[in-house]
Amino acid sequence: MHKHLLILLPFIILSACQNQEQEIDLKTVFRYNEHANVTSLDPAFAKDQRNIWVCNLLYNGLVKLDKHLEVVPDLASHWKIDATATVYTFYIKEDVFFNNAFAKARTITAQDFKYSLERLTDPQIASPGEWVMKNVESIKAKAPLELQITLKQAFPAFLGLLSMKYCSVVPEGSSDLREQPIGTGPFYLKRWQENVKMVLRKNDLYFEKDKEGNALPYLEAVAITFKTDKQSEFLEFAQGNLDFINAIDPSYKDELLTTSGELKEAYIPLVTLEKAPFLNTEYLGLKVDSKSPELQSKKLRQAINLGFDRDKMIKYLRNNIGTPAHNGFVPTGIPAGGVVKGFTYDPNRARSLVTSYSEETGDKNPAITISTGANYLDLCEFIQKELQKIGIQVQIDVMTPSTLRQARKDGQLDIFRSSWIADYPDAENYLSLFYSKNFAPSGPNYTHFKSAAYDLLYKKALTASDPEIRRNLYIKMDSIIIEEAPIVPLYYDQSVRFISKEVLNLESNAVNMLDLTRVKKK
């Protein structure tokens, strides 16, 4: 009975959003919650998942990643790369329109792409995606639908870079894209009440069609709520008010999953559980130039890595969602990932390394502090108890996510819990975290790791056009990271989606993109 009452709610909300009496059929509305509020609808600020997901519904780029992480055409019909691997020529599809939500509809041109990419480096825009263009020498609109990008030096991962939402096309001269997005995507913005709700509507000018020639998308609307409490989000899903939830949270994991990570029997008739590899490495970063002698010591850093049981941690604290990190920093799913042998639980060797450290330094009571957000407190407490058994005292400092990010960037934390989600599917994206010229705060080298041998390999890999040569260089670099231990890999993540049985065709890939272009509801 309550199910029928719940079904009426989306009709009322969506109709009110449009200031119309007309109702929208629930079967054509996809509903999800974003617990971290969207900060901007300008693709130049599509830095993290909350913004990336919405921008993926509003915009397109030259290329995109398919479900196998292969670069495929999006708004470019095809492209050519010259013999030097520095000149890329893209041929843009005809009759692709910007939506007419905030301006008169018109077709896209190469000049729009030139404008869109160049604005990433505009100091007035101050885009966090500026780095994407750092290797670009020039961008030219050679013809109305022909775009030429010249690189300063060959960079084999460049097409993968262009798949990022930063590189979406917007109309030349557009302004206030934060609140008035004008894109070519399957949906357009109808209403946004910040921190409360966002409504997207079907873009009738969208260029893609299905195999039968039917217009896409199938959905009429997308309704996004912004409940920050994950328990509340789960209750909304359980009551039928959301069509899916992304990721698993400790507050409800035991309600949905068995200890082995399978869906509990009560939910099987109502929910589809989809698990897939996700290019995200969860880790502890160790600031190697810390004033603490514990972190300056390679032996103690290795002892931390050897001193706790990753398999037990993932089984009991994450219901086997994720793969214990027994390899390098680069995860399985991209070339060179999952190859390097990492650390496995070895308490005897860990104790021996702690003893050796104490004898060398005179520090008989080594102690460390791990900074983390509340969502990972259980993991850090597990590590704390395990490391105390091998002679390392551990304090835990729980911080808000924003405070943690800023302190990590400013180099104020000796040990910090963090994660690295691939921006593009190339191992270079992970290994750039340890290149000395990327020291934080100006780059992502938060551990301040520095190695001349590593830097040399990194620079060689940037210019190696042969995939196998590049892969071997990446493996050597990942091996150095494991040996020197500026990080403690915890686990390689999985994307976990709980999807209503009413939803069809919702696919994901290893960067956990939300694509609703072909989604239907029963």
Side-chain angles (χ1 to χ4, degrees):
M1 186 174 181
H2 69 282
K3 185 178 179 184
H4 295 296
L5 291 172
L6 290 165
I7 284 173
L8 292 174
L9 185 60
F11 285 134
I12 296 166
I13 293 173
L14 288 172
S15 298
C17 289
Q18 299 173 86
N19 297 315
Q20 296 175 0
E21 295 301 319
Q22 174 190 348
E23 293 182 349
I24 299 178
D25 186 350
L26 180 65
K27 292 179 181 179
T28 65
V29 181
F30 186 88
R31 303 157 300 165
Y32 78 93
N33 181 69
E34 181 53 75
H35 61 84
N37 294 313
V38 169
T39 59
S40 176
L41 297 178
D42 185 337
F45 296 89
K47 183 177 186 292
D48 44 27
Q49 184 174 280
R50 54 185 168 176
N51 291 6
I52 289 170
W53 275 14
V54 181
C55 284
N56 194 52
L57 302 175
L58 298 172
Y59 300 98
N60 298 89
L62 290 165
V63 296
K64 62 183 178 181
L65 300 177
D66 67 9
K67 62 183 179 181
H68 306 295
L69 297 189
E70 297 290 335
V71 176
V72 296
D74 194 3
L75 295 182
S77 61
H78 61 291
W79 55 87
K80 294 176 182 175
I81 306 171
D82 80 338
T84 68
T86 60
V87 180
Y88 290 68
T89 305
F90 296 90
Y91 300 91
I92 297 164
K93 293 175 180 175
E94 295 182 1
D95 299 323
V96 176
F97 284 82
F98 289 112
N99 71 58
N100 59 358
F102 300 103
K104 185 178 178 181
R106 68 166 177 82
T107 55
I108 62 167
T109 67
Q111 188 63 36
D112 292 315
F113 270 105
K114 174 178 163 63
Y115 169 78
S116 301
L117 296 174
E118 287 180 344
R119 72 190 288 268
L120 295 178
T121 59
D122 183 347
Q124 300 264 302
I125 301 290
S127 167
E130 177 187 11
W131 62 272
V132 175
M133 294 289 109
K134 69 180 180 182
N135 189 35
V136 172
E137 180 73 44
S138 65
I139 305 172
K140 296 176 182 176
K142 302 287 284 185
L145 295 175
E146 183 180 333
L147 184 77
Q148 186 181 89
I149 302 176
T150 302
L151 305 184
K152 296 173 185 174
Q153 62 181 36
F155 182 54
F158 182 62
L159 282 175
L161 270 183
L162 289 179
S163 72
M164 297 179 68
K165 297 318 294 183
Y166 288 132
C167 302
S168 302
V169 68
V170 300
E172 183 179 13
S174 52
S175 60
D176 196 23
L177 292 169
R178 179 192 183 275
E179 297 178 16
Q180 296 186 355
I182 303 174
T184 58
F187 300 93
Y188 68 89
L189 178 67
K190 182 67 180 178
R191 181 171 181 262
W192 181 17
Q193 185 180 353
E194 290 196 42
N195 304 335
V196 180
K197 193 169 184 84
M198 181 183 293
V199 177
L200 310 180
R201 291 298 306 270
K202 175 179 180 176
N203 176 14
D204 291 327
L205 299 175
Y206 187 59
F207 69 98
E208 279 195 282
K209 298 187 185 302
D210 67 13
K211 290 178 181 177
E212 285 73 43
N214 300 309
L216 294 172
Y218 301 121
L219 296 167
E220 285 294 329
V222 180
I224 308 165
T225 51
F226 297 98
K227 293 183 184 296
T228 56
D229 179 54
K230 293 188 178 183
Q231 181 68 27
S232 298
E233 177 187 54
F234 168 67
L235 291 173
E236 288 288 305
F237 177 69
Q239 292 170 350
N241 293 333
L242 297 174
D243 290 308
F244 99 129
I245 46 177
N246 175 62
I248 188 73
D249 188 74
S251 66
Y252 57 76
K253 69 180 176 65
D254 294 324
E255 169 68 21
L256 279 170
L257 298 176
T258 65
T259 52
S260 61
E262 300 304 317
L263 197 63
K264 284 191 171 177
E265 194 172 335
Y267 287 95
I268 290 174
L270 305 170
V271 177
T272 300
L273 168 61
E274 286 194 357
K275 293 189 283 187
F278 180 25
L279 296 184
N280 175 27
T281 299
E282 298 282 348
Y283 69 100
L284 300 180
L286 313 179
K287 189 163 172 282
V288 295
D289 63 354
S290 164
K291 293 178 181 177
S292 303
E294 290 90 344
L295 297 188
Q296 294 172 15
S297 166
K298 182 166 84 171
K299 287 183 177 178
L300 206 75
R301 298 197 302 266
Q302 289 178 338
I304 294 169
N305 269 287
L306 293 163
F308 65 100
D309 189 336
R310 291 165 173 81
D311 295 286
K312 186 189 290 185
M313 180 178 75
I314 298 306
K315 181 177 181 181
Y316 293 111
L317 298 181
R318 287 295 180 267
N319 295 62
N320 274 340
I321 301 296
T323 303
H326 295 310
N327 296 103
F329 189 60
V330 182
T332 301
I334 48 180
V339 176
V340 173
K341 181 173 170 52
F343 294 97
T344 53
Y345 183 46
D346 189 342
N348 293 330
R349 187 173 164 224
R351 285 190 199 96
S352 175
L353 287 167
V354 173
T355 300
S356 179
Y357 160 81
S358 295
E359 290 171 351
E360 288 176 7
T361 63
D363 181 3
K364 302 299 181 186
N365 297 295
I368 60 175
T369 298
I370 301 174
S371 300
T372 182
N375 285 346
Y376 293 85
L377 178 59
D378 56 344
L379 297 184
C380 293
E381 286 178 338
F382 175 87
I383 294 167
Q384 177 186 44
K385 289 172 185 172
E386 293 289 290
L387 294 186
Q388 285 171 346
K389 294 175 187 175
I390 63 165
I392 301 175
Q393 295 302 307
V394 180
Q395 295 292 319
I396 299 175
D397 185 8
V398 181
M399 311 171 82
T400 64
S402 58
T403 304
L404 182 66
R405 282 194 298 270
Q406 191 60 48
R408 179 190 66 187
K409 183 179 178 181
D410 293 342
Q412 298 171 353
L413 307 177
D414 280 353
I415 304 180
F416 52 87
R417 203 291 316 166
S418 192
S419 58
W420 191 261
I421 302 172
D423 293 308
Y424 48 93
D426 193 278
E428 182 273 337
N429 190 221
Y430 286 87
L431 299 170
S432 65
L433 269 69
F434 309 103
Y435 182 47
S436 65
K437 291 187 179 178
N438 286 339
F439 264 36
S442 57
N445 186 344
Y446 306 116
T447 63
H448 285 192
F449 176 76
K450 188 172 184 177
S451 159
Y454 185 93
D455 285 356
L456 184 61
L457 292 168
Y458 181 81
K459 285 187 277 191
K460 281 184 179 178
L462 285 182
T463 56
S465 57
D466 185 305
E468 191 59 29
I469 291 173
R470 200 161 72 249
R471 178 179 177 275
N472 289 332
L473 290 168
Y474 289 157
I475 290 169
K476 289 178 182 177
M477 292 157 68
D478 210 4
S479 298
I480 291 174
I481 295 307
I482 291 301
E483 171 63 26
E484 296 297 324
I487 53 161
V488 181
L490 301 176
Y491 63 96
Y492 312 112
D493 210 354
Q494 287 180 310
S495 65
V496 182
R497 293 180 170 187
F498 300 94
I499 306 168
S500 163
K501 292 282 190 184
E502 301 294 309
V503 174
L504 304 172
N505 305 338
L506 182 59
E507 293 185 342
S508 183
N509 61 16
V511 292
N512 196 25
M513 186 60 78
L514 182 65
D515 184 356
L516 301 179
T517 310
R518 289 170 172 78
V519 167
K520 294 180 179 179
K521 291 177 69 176
K522 294 180 183 176

